[in-house]
Amino acid sequence: MSILLIIIHIVVSIALIMIVLLQTGKGADMGAAFGGGSSQTLFGSTGASTFLSKATTAAAIIFMVTSLGLAYLSSHRTGSSVVTGSPAPIESQAVPGKATPAPVESQAAPGTATPPAAGSGDTQPAKQAE
């Protein structure tokens, strides 16, 4: 259903563009530039509505109806979801490029050395107090 509506929407939008580009503007007459002729006619300076103006109205109505239909179909779609599962807890997610903090350890007794934390950049072994 939605594929058919999308195809109709695209065809009508292209037709609407072509119909609008084929029409001439209201100010195309030389007399219309100075305001002549429009006060004496029943339908204005353009006369009765032409085939292109009726086609523009019909195409615009169809375009609006298909737009509303596509919006309704996309908002009431069931069975498809962006999120397929529950997200992982924040604590277990590792961020690339950031070092994970070392666990907090109790303070060492005086005179004993503690090894450096992993990833601290210290390559020399720890020296023991003498």
Side-chain angles (χ1 to χ4, degrees), residues 8-121:
I8 292 171
H9 188 74
I10 291 172
V11 168
V12 168
S13 64
I14 292 171
L16 187 61
I17 291 169
M18 294 304 216
I19 292 169
V20 168
L21 288 177
L22 285 174
Q23 293 181 18
T24 58
K26 285 188 175 185
D29 296 337
M30 188 62 174
F34 301 107
S38 65
S39 61
Q40 302 282 326
T41 60
L42 181 62
F43 297 110
S45 63
T46 59
S49 60
T50 62
F51 170 74
L52 288 178
S53 66
K54 290 180 183 179
T56 303
T57 304
I61 289 171
I62 295 171
F63 181 81
M64 288 182 212
V65 168
T66 56
S67 296
L68 289 173
L70 286 171
Y72 178 79
L73 286 177
S74 68
S75 67
H76 287 84
R77 187 170 300 238
T78 59
S80 63
S81 175
V82 177
V83 179
T84 57
S86 62
I90 295 175
E91 294 86 21
S92 66
Q93 292 178 350
V95 178
K98 282 193 169 183
T100 56
V104 178
E105 298 177 5
S106 61
Q107 291 183 346
T112 60
T114 58
S120 64

Side-chain angles (χ1 to χ4, degrees), residues 99 113-128:
T114 58
S120 64
D122 202 8
T123 58
Q124 295 180 0
K127 293 186 179 181
Q128 298 218 354

